[in-house]
């Protein structure tokens, strides 16, 4: 019994030592999945992955899960099947029938009422557009899309009423996996295949019709391939991980993924590659699988949630798999095996997942290994914290203190001449040959005594990486380069020469290359994803690989040097734990390219074996969706032409770029019209705009994946923020009107006040002229009359008479001026009265009959002073002409006002040419034209059939 226990224990140890992990990513309850049993998987046209579980339906965008339950429209929370059809509709099979999701809603159609008592475990749409529903014991249903639902069962020819999977061949034949064999529907006829026809077992779980007329069947006794003539069974004896197969997914190049009850297998046409829980699966029982648009395989498990497998380009080893220590510092290839040096774990070889040190660690003086390297003679050198050792044909030579009195050996480099340059941490660099050793340090011109790496270039120079910069040793002399010579940082951790002879250095501040005179740096400001670069090396395909604290960078120098400055970051592709790397933090100098072109990366958590040829990156662009708008704490969703009230102007827009290969490495660019002048770049999945002013906005966003490929479309959403009432047009118009009204009120007040003051002044001036000047002139005229009454000389008497007449004329003219100035004479009535008075004084002695036509005048209308004065003078001049020259006996005076204008005319009935032709000077007519022009009026003269004058103008 004791021997059996020991045997089982050894077997357990062997199993532990043989394992390694692959880049499986697990999504379960801890990440937001509603339940850990995933029965079905599907991907919709928008890129979302849908997961049907034992409790709820889940939608996943690579970062966040969104769950749906009965309260969201599901018939049942227990989801058994999912299918996305040709129209983008997601069909949902539950334990109580079928639902479908179109747009953002889940629907139940009454036409599917016959399925309400059935568990729908399979759904498929054929090329003809028919949708098929397989149930768990109630047969098969076909839906035509126009409301017709047809039922099929064993009575129609099915092998069994439990239809677990449905598929269609290229020729249109439908295949059904049932619990009692498989059924083919061809040209309306059913044909069944069972164990009697070559199936290894009648219990089948999945069926897939491939592109090469092959049908793949998942049975309880292995994977079965049917070529139309016979069945070929591939079981555990052929390499399958387990015979109890549950799900099948086919790749575009003919590969077959097989999910079983004890893990996952991939069949490439010849061999199986198997993956179990020790390989990274969260659960060994796999219920469902799909291949997404990025060619990743998704696995739904029983109790382990969903697993995403990115590919087997990474193979990881840690202490969980038998590695002695996770702190891997150096890797080399020795005697056809990969050897790993660890700080605290000594050295070990790994082959086919098995670790073995062949007893070497017991003979080493120190297990804190810094460097292992194989020389040209096939010997392995081991640099340790406490010295130097060399392994040859299982003979281990530890250098004595006399032979090599230095510790902390960080690097060992063999020159073409057979010398060895050994880098030490504090003692400079040591040149070791058959005659002994030579030390080079700061006293000899070395940049710093802490040396981490050295290389020999084609011209025979030795380039040395130190904590004080880079030193070049050539022709027995050192030349050093530091920050002043272009290095991004003096702490240089690694140095290499590329295929073109260019020297590259990796530092604590980025990387740099030597242009022949100085170093040219490349830092995060130039697109480098990380600042701390532990190593840089070039692979056979020309790519550069840079180890950082944030993963491995694949650097394409050609892209970098040929791209525009804003596009240079596309030359850098970062691989992290999300892509399968065992840890994001690498170790100094821990990189090795083996004979197969594979890379080995040492990290703080173990070692990763990487196959660059198997890594295709991610050529599929992300699908970007705007998820919704949050305005001041209120969620609106993705609503087009959203109108927000003025108090909801703190806007946050959320969006998502769906990419499952590296969901955390998506770069977004967004901009908001009128706010962002240029594209804003971020890794955040939301954009926040506080205190947006009122207006109309358009938000745009697109994204790029880890390979630098941008999404095909730019997603947009339009929204507007209404102005508060005090900024609304009607309110502004009201305020403007009020302001204008106030201004007009004050203006009119001051205008009226000024007019009143002017009128008062006019009255005062008129009174003063009449009382003072007029009285004085009248007194002068009277005095001249009094003096004439005396006995005076004739000449003097004539002069006095002229003075009297002149004074009376002046008094008459002054009377007109006073009348015009006086504000009490500003109405049309005052004007017409004045006209009539003048006519009486002028034409009365002529015995002329005067007819007035003032009937439609509003005598109370005010007349501007200028208009009143000039119109009256025109009238006066006309009357004087008639009085002097007319031979008629009738004068017609007419004045009308209409629509703000006036028309004044005066005429007589004298003979033709009378009056107007008698005046030789024409001064009166010119005066009348001048006065009409002053008031902006038109004046017309006519001397045919008497004398007439017509004046038309505006009253204001």
């Amino acid at each position: 019994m004791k021997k059996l226990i020991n045997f089982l224990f050894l077997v357990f140890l062997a199993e532990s030592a043989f394992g390694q992990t692959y880049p499986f990513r697990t999504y379960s309850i801890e990440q937001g999945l509603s339940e850990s049993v995933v029965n079905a998987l599907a991907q919709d046209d928008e890129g979302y992955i849908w997961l049907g579980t034992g409790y709820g339906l889940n939608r996943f965008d690579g970062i966040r899960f969104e769950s749906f339950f009965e309260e969201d429209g599901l018939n049942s929370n227990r989801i058994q099947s999912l299918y996305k059809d040709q129209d983008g509709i997601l069909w949902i099979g539950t334990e109580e029938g079928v639902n479908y999701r179109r747009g953002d809603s889940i629907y139940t159609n009454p036409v599917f009422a016959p399925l309400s008592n059935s568990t729908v475990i399979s759904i498929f749409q054929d090329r003809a557009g028919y949708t098929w529903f397989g149930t768990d014991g109630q047969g098969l249903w076909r839906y035509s899309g126009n409301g017709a639902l047809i039922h099929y069962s064993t009575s129609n020819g099915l092998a069994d009423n439990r239809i677990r999977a449905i598929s269609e061949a290229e020729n249109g034949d439908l295949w059904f996996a049932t619990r009692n064999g498989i059924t083919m529907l061809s040209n309306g006829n059913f044909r069944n295949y069972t164990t009697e026809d070559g199936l290894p077992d009648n219990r089948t779980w999945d069926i897939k019709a491939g592109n090469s007329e092959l049908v793949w069947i998942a049975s309880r006794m292995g994977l079965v391939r049917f070529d139309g003539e016979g069945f070929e069974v591939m079981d555990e004896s052929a390499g399958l991980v387990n015979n109890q197969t549950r799900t099948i997914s086919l790749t575009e190049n003919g590969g077959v993924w097989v999910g079983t009850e004890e893990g996952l297998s991939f069949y490439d046409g010849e061999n199986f590659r198997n993956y179990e829980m020790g390989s990274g699966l969260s659960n060994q029982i796999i219920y469902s699988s799909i291949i997404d648009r990025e060619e990743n395989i998704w696995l739904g498990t029983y109790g382990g949630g969903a697993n995403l497998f990115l590919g087997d380009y990474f193979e990881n080893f840690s202490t969980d798999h038998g590695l002695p220590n996770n702190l891997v510092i150096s890797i080399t290839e020795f005697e056809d095996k990969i050897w790993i040096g660890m700080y605290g774990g000594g050295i070990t070889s790994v082959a086919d997942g098995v670790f073995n040190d062949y007893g070497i660690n017991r003979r080493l003086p120190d297990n804190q290994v810094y460097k292992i390297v194989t020389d040209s003679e096939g010997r392995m050198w081991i640099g340790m914290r406490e010295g130097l050792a060399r392994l040859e044909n299982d003979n281990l030579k530890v250098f004595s203190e006399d032979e090599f009195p230095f510790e902390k050996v960080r690097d060992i480099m063999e020159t073409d001449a057979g010398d060895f340059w050994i880098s030490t941490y504090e003692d400079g660099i040591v040149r070791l040959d058959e005659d002994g050793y030579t030390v080079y340090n700061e006293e000899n011109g070395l940049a710093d005594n802490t040396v981490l790496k050295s290389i020999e270039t084609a011209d025979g120079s030795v380039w040395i990486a130190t904590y004080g910069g880079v030193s070049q040793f050539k022709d027995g002399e050192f030349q050093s380069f530091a920050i002043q010579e272009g290095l991004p940082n003096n702490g240089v951790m690694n140095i290499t020469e590329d295929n073109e002879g260019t020297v590259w250095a990796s530092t604590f501040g980025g990387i740099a290359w030597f242009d022949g005179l100085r170093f040219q740096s490349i830092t995060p400001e130039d697109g480098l994803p990380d600042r701390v670069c532990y190593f840089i090396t070039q692979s056979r395909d020309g790519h550069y690989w840079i180890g950082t604290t944030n993963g491995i960078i694949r650097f394409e120098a050609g892209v970098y040097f040929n791209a525009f400055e804003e596009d240079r970051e596309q030359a850098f592709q970062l691989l992290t734990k999300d892509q399968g790397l065992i840890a994001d933090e690498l170790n100094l100098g821990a990189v090795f390219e083996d004979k197969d072109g594979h890379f080995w990366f040492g990290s703080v958590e173990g070692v990763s074996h990487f196959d660059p040829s198997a890594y295709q990156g991610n050529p599929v662009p992300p699908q970007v969706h705007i998820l919704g708008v949050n305005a001041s704490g209120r969620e609106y969703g993705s609503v087009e032409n959203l109108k927000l009230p003025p108090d909801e102007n703190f806007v946050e827009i959320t969006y998502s770029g769906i990419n499952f290969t590296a969901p955390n490495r998506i770069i977004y660019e967004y901009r908001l019209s009128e706010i962002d002048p240029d594209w804003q770049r971020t890794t955040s999945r939301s954009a926040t705009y506080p205190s947006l002013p009122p207006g109309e906005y358009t938000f745009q966003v697109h994204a790029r994946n880890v390979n630098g490929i941008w999404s095909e479309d730019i997603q947009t959403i339009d929204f507007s923020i209404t102005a508060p009432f005090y900024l609304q047009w009607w309110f502004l118009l009201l305020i403007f009107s009020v302001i204008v009204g106030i201004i007009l009120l004050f203006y009119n007040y001051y205008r009226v006040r000024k007019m009143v003051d002017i009128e008062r002044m006019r009255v005062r001036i008129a009174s003063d002229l009449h009382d003072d000047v007029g009285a004085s002139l009248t007194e002068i005229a009277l005095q001249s009359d009094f003096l004439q009454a005396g006995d005076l000389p004739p000449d003097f008497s004539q002069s006095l008479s002229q003075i009297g007449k002149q004074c009376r004329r002046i008094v008459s003219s002054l009377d007109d001026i006073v009348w015009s100035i006086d504000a009490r004479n500003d109405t049309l009535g005052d004007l017409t009265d004045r006209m009539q008075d003048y006519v009486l004084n002028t034409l009365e002695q002529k015995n002329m009959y005067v007819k007035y036509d003032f009937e439609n005048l509003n005598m109370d209308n005010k007349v501007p002073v200028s208009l009143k004065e000039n119109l009256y003078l025109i009238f006066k001049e006309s009357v004087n002409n008639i009085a002097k020259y007319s031979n008629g006996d009738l004068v017609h005076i007419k004045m009308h006002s209409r629509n703000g204008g006036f028309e004044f005319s005066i005429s007589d009935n004298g003979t033709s040419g009378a009056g107007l032709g008698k005046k030789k000077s024409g001064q009166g007519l010119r005066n009348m034209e001048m006065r009409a022009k002053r008031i902006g009026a038109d004046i017309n003269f006519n001397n045919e059939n008497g004398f007439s004058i017509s004046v038309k103008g505006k009253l204001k």
Side-chain angles (χ1 to χ4, degrees):
M1 183 65 181
K2 185 176 180 180
K3 291 182 179 179
L4 178 60
I5 293 174
N6 289 337
F7 173 77
L8 293 175
F9 179 71
L10 290 175
V11 170
F12 172 76
L13 289 179
E15 288 293 331
S16 299
F18 275 74
Q20 66 270 347
T21 59
Y22 294 93
F24 283 94
R25 201 180 296 160
T26 300
Y27 301 102
S28 192
I29 295 175
E30 295 79 8
Q31 289 76 36
L33 190 65
S34 63
E35 214 250 0
S36 60
V37 176
V38 179
N39 297 316
L41 293 160
Q43 186 173 28
D44 65 19
D45 289 339
E46 294 182 333
Y48 292 103
I49 294 293
W50 291 85
L51 303 94
T53 74
Y55 181 70
L57 176 66
N58 298 261
R59 187 178 75 171
F60 186 50
D61 64 3
I63 300 292
R64 187 174 66 95
F65 283 96
E66 184 178 4
S67 300
F68 303 90
F69 302 99
E70 292 178 7
E71 54 266 32
D72 300 301
L74 289 175
N75 293 334
S76 170
N77 286 331
R78 297 182 66 85
I79 311 300
Q80 296 295 331
S81 57
L82 295 171
Y83 184 81
K84 192 272 297 182
D85 71 11
Q86 301 161 9
D87 298 321
I89 297 173
L90 180 71
W91 293 92
I92 308 159
T94 75
E95 287 196 349
E96 296 183 14
V98 64
N99 298 109
Y100 63 94
R101 178 182 171 92
R102 179 188 286 125
D104 294 329
S105 301
I106 296 174
Y107 298 93
T108 300
N109 194 324
V111 73
F112 301 120
L115 289 167
S116 60
N117 295 322
S118 301
T119 299
V120 178
I121 58 176
S122 60
I123 306 173
F124 184 80
Q125 186 181 48
D126 62 25
R127 293 186 181 91
Y130 294 115
T131 305
W132 298 81
F133 303 100
T135 68
D136 191 19
Q138 286 78 40
L140 180 69
W141 297 82
R142 190 188 76 178
Y143 175 61
S144 63
N146 58 5
L149 196 64
I150 301 174
H151 181 246
Y152 300 92
S153 67
T154 54
S155 61
N156 302 103
L158 284 171
D160 193 84
N161 285 331
R162 186 172 293 176
I163 313 298
R164 290 170 170 166
I166 310 169
S167 185
E168 184 177 18
E170 286 187 341
N171 62 2
D173 292 343
L174 289 175
W175 290 86
F176 306 94
T178 78
R179 197 176 185 277
N180 191 33
I182 62 174
T183 299
M184 179 185 70
L185 176 60
S186 178
N187 297 322
N189 299 313
F190 288 101
R191 179 179 176 181
N192 298 321
Y193 297 89
T194 64
T195 54
E196 296 179 357
D197 303 289
L199 272 177
D201 193 286
N202 285 336
R203 294 169 296 176
T204 59
W205 280 98
D206 199 3
I207 191 165
K208 290 290 188 302
N211 296 328
S212 56
E213 299 182 359
L214 295 176
V215 178
W216 297 88
I217 304 135
S219 77
R220 298 290 292 178
M221 294 299 292
L223 176 67
V224 183
R225 179 170 59 188
F226 179 62
D227 60 5
E229 296 182 359
F231 294 92
E232 180 184 359
V233 181
M234 289 167 279
D235 55 15
E236 294 177 13
S237 63
L240 187 67
V241 67
N242 182 261
N243 285 342
Q244 299 186 57
T245 56
R246 300 281 305 224
T247 179
I248 298 172
S249 289
L250 306 179
T251 67
E252 291 185 355
N253 57 7
V256 183
W257 288 98
V258 187
T260 77
E261 293 192 359
E262 289 189 9
L264 176 69
S265 290
F266 178 74
Y267 181 66
D268 61 9
E270 295 181 0
N271 301 299
F272 283 97
R273 290 199 305 272
N274 297 326
Y275 307 89
E276 304 172 80
M277 289 187 65
S279 305
L281 282 172
S282 61
N283 192 285
Q284 64 184 9
I285 302 176
I286 300 173
Y287 270 6
S288 55
S289 66
I290 61 165
I291 297 175
D292 67 18
R293 60 194 295 265
E294 300 168 43
E295 294 299 314
N296 301 315
I297 180 74
W298 289 80
L299 308 168
T301 73
Y302 179 74
N307 289 162
L308 171 62
F309 184 51
L310 302 173
D312 56 0
Y313 45 83
F314 270 117
E315 184 182 35
N316 296 321
F317 303 93
S318 67
T319 54
D320 294 335
H321 312 104
L323 188 67
N325 192 291
N326 280 339
L327 199 58
V328 176
I329 303 297
S330 184
I331 306 105
T332 191
E333 197 165 11
F334 175 65
E335 294 182 347
D336 296 326
K337 295 184 180 66
I338 296 296
W339 286 77
I340 300 169
M342 296 151 288
Y343 190 80
I347 65 173
T348 185
S349 68
V350 58
D352 298 325
V354 179
F355 296 94
N356 197 335
D357 69 350
Y358 299 99
I360 296 174
N361 286 330
R362 294 195 303 270
R363 293 179 280 167
L364 287 175
D366 184 16
N367 68 353
Q368 296 173 321
V369 175
Y370 284 121
K371 186 69 176 182
I372 56 175
V373 64
T374 305
D375 66 14
S376 59
E377 298 182 14
R379 301 172 296 183
M380 182 165 67
W381 294 73
I382 307 168
M384 299 164 288
R385 181 179 176 84
E386 297 183 4
L388 179 67
R390 185 177 65 206
L391 181 65
E392 182 179 8
N393 297 326
D394 199 35
N395 294 318
L396 183 68
K397 173 181 173 55
V398 178
F399 286 77
S400 66
E401 188 171 345
D402 293 335
E403 295 174 303
F404 191 81
F406 306 102
E407 298 180 342
K408 300 179 182 178
V409 177
R410 298 306 306 257
D411 184 62
I412 303 161
M413 185 271 293
E414 183 182 12
T415 67
D416 291 340
D419 301 335
F420 291 89
W421 291 70
I422 301 171
S423 304
T424 72
Y425 196 76
E426 294 174 340
D427 296 317
I429 190 165
V430 181
R431 181 179 181 179
L432 184 67
D433 55 25
E434 294 179 354
D435 298 329
Y437 62 83
T438 304
V439 180
Y440 301 97
N441 52 32
E442 293 178 17
E443 295 179 359
N444 308 110
L446 191 65
D448 193 271
N449 285 340
T450 297
V451 181
L452 301 176
K453 176 74 175 176
S454 66
I455 61 169
E456 183 185 26
T457 57
D459 63 354
S461 299
V462 176
W463 293 76
I464 305 164
T466 79
Y467 270 2
V470 173
S471 291
Q472 180 190 22
F473 184 74
K474 186 177 182 181
D475 299 329
E477 295 183 354
F478 283 100
Q479 181 181 3
S480 295
F481 304 88
I483 292 177
Q484 295 84 351
E485 288 75 35
L487 285 174
N489 191 284
N490 283 342
V492 182
M493 290 180 281
N494 194 252
I495 195 165
T496 190
E497 183 182 24
D498 67 16
N499 300 334
E500 297 179 355
T502 302
V503 174
W504 291 78
S506 62
T507 76
F508 281 104
I511 62 174
W513 56 281
F514 189 65
D515 65 4
L517 297 174
R518 57 184 283 116
F519 279 92
Q520 303 293 332
S521 63
I522 300 174
T523 66
E525 288 71 27
D526 303 306
L528 190 68
D530 198 10
R531 191 172 297 276
V532 179
C533 300
Y534 288 126
F535 60 76
I536 180 170
T537 188
Q538 188 179 32
S539 58
R540 298 171 190 174
D541 60 5
H543 291 125
Y544 296 82
W545 300 85
I546 306 166
T548 73
T549 59
N550 193 34
I552 294 289
I553 300 170
R554 188 178 78 173
F555 172 49
E556 297 182 63
V559 174
Y560 178 85
F561 290 118
N562 294 319
F564 293 107
E565 184 175 349
E566 61 270 17
D567 298 325
R568 283 182 173 177
E569 61 184 26
Q570 296 186 21
F572 304 95
Q573 184 175 338
L574 185 64
L575 284 76
T576 65
K577 291 181 69 174
D578 285 341
Q579 285 78 53
L581 191 66
I582 195 168
D584 287 340
E585 184 176 357
L586 281 300
N587 278 326
L588 191 151
V591 59
F592 180 75
E593 186 178 15
D594 64 22
K595 63 182 180 181
D596 298 322
H598 296 184
F599 273 103
W600 295 78
F601 301 119
S603 75
V604 297
E605 296 181 22
V607 63
S608 291
H609 173 210
F610 177 65
D611 182 3
S613 63
Y615 177 71
Q616 302 301 320
N618 185 12
V620 181
Q623 289 180 270
V624 182
H625 304 288
I626 296 176
L627 304 179
V629 177
N630 183 302
S632 299
R634 185 175 178 182
E635 292 287 347
Y636 284 99
S638 182
V639 181
E640 281 295 330
N641 299 313
L642 177 65
K643 291 186 178 181
L644 299 174
D647 59 339
E648 295 183 7
N649 62 343
F650 190 104
V651 176
E652 181 184 26
I653 303 171
T654 56
Y655 42 82
S656 173
I658 299 179
N659 178 271
F660 297 106
T661 301
N664 294 315
R665 300 299 305 168
I666 295 178
I667 303 295
Y668 297 93
E669 282 189 347
Y670 67 85
R671 64 184 175 189
L672 184 65
S673 62
E674 311 301 329
I675 300 296
D676 297 321
D678 299 305
W679 287 101
Q680 308 298 308
R681 185 165 292 189
T682 182
T683 57
S684 174
R685 289 159 45 107
S686 65
T688 302
Y689 297 93
S691 301
L692 284 176
E696 295 183 353
Y697 298 96
T698 297
F699 179 81
Q700 297 176 299
V701 62
H702 63 154
R704 74 171 201 200
N705 65 11
V706 69
N707 274 34
I709 300 176
W710 287 98
S711 53
E712 297 174 353
D713 299 318
I714 296 176
Q715 297 298 309
T716 64
I717 187 170
D718 298 320
F719 67 94
S720 62
I721 299 176
T722 57
F725 74 92
Y726 52 83
L727 292 178
Q728 296 281 358
W729 67 268
W730 57 267
F731 186 82
L732 294 176
L733 181 60
L734 177 63
I735 294 299
F736 177 77
S737 300
V738 170
I739 293 174
V740 170
I742 293 173
I743 293 173
L744 290 175
L745 179 65
F746 278 100
Y747 171 75
N748 287 329
Y749 170 77
Y750 285 109
R751 186 175 65 85
V752 171
R753 183 175 178 180
K754 186 176 181 180
M755 289 175 63
V756 170
D757 291 341
I758 291 174
E759 288 184 358
R760 288 175 179 172
M761 182 178 65
R762 287 170 57 199
V763 171
R764 185 173 64 252
I765 291 172
S767 299
D768 291 343
L769 286 173
H770 181 272
D771 295 342
D772 296 336
V773 178
S776 298
L777 290 171
T778 302
E779 184 177 354
I780 293 172
L782 292 174
Q783 288 291 335
S784 67
D785 292 341
F786 177 75
L787 291 174
Q788 289 181 52
D791 187 12
L792 296 174
D795 293 339
F796 185 66
S797 177
Q798 184 177 2
S799 296
L800 287 176
S801 175
Q802 290 176 352
I803 290 173
K805 290 180 180 179
Q806 187 67 27
C807 287
R808 285 182 175 86
R809 281 197 298 270
I810 293 173
V811 168
S812 177
S813 298
L814 182 63
D815 187 53
D816 289 338
I817 294 172
V818 169
W819 176 81
S820 298
I821 292 174
D822 197 336
R824 291 169 292 188
N825 302 321
D826 284 349
T827 65
L828 282 172
D830 296 323
L831 176 60
T832 55
D833 289 344
R834 182 75 174 181
M835 289 179 177
Q836 294 180 52
D837 291 340
Y838 188 77
V839 167
L840 290 174
N841 294 329
T842 306
L843 299 179
E844 182 178 4
Q845 65 272 27
K846 298 291 185 179
N847 294 318
M848 289 185 176
Y849 176 73
V850 180
K851 181 181 179 182
Y852 298 99
D853 185 359
F854 300 147
E855 292 182 2
N856 66 340
L857 288 180
N858 186 346
M859 296 302 182
D860 294 327
N861 278 354
K862 290 278 189 177
V863 182
V865 174
S866 176
L867 175 62
K868 179 183 71 173
E869 177 185 6
N870 287 283
L871 188 58
Y872 176 71
L873 292 176
I874 291 172
F875 159 79
K876 187 175 178 181
E877 185 71 26
S878 302
V879 171
N880 288 335
N881 276 341
I882 293 172
K884 291 178 181 180
Y885 307 114
S886 176
N887 57 4
D889 59 359
L890 175 64
V891 178
H892 189 186
I893 301 173
K894 182 170 62 174
M895 187 172 180
H896 297 278
S897 67
R898 183 171 55 189
N899 298 328
F902 74 90
E903 182 178 352
F904 169 78
S905 65
I906 182 170
S907 61
D908 64 10
N909 61 349
T911 59
S912 176
L916 200 62
K918 298 288 185 182
K919 188 165 178 136
K920 296 180 181 179
S921 65
Q923 186 66 34
L925 297 180
R926 286 194 294 270
N927 286 340
M928 285 190 283
E929 288 177 344
M930 177 188 68
R931 296 185 188 282
K933 186 176 182 181
R934 285 178 182 175
I935 59 175
D938 295 327
I939 187 168
N940 293 307
F941 305 97
N942 193 351
N943 62 350
E944 295 181 1
N945 300 321
F947 171 66
S948 67
I949 296 175
S950 173
V951 182
K952 293 181 180 180
K954 298 291 185 180
L955 280 174
K956 300 295 185 181

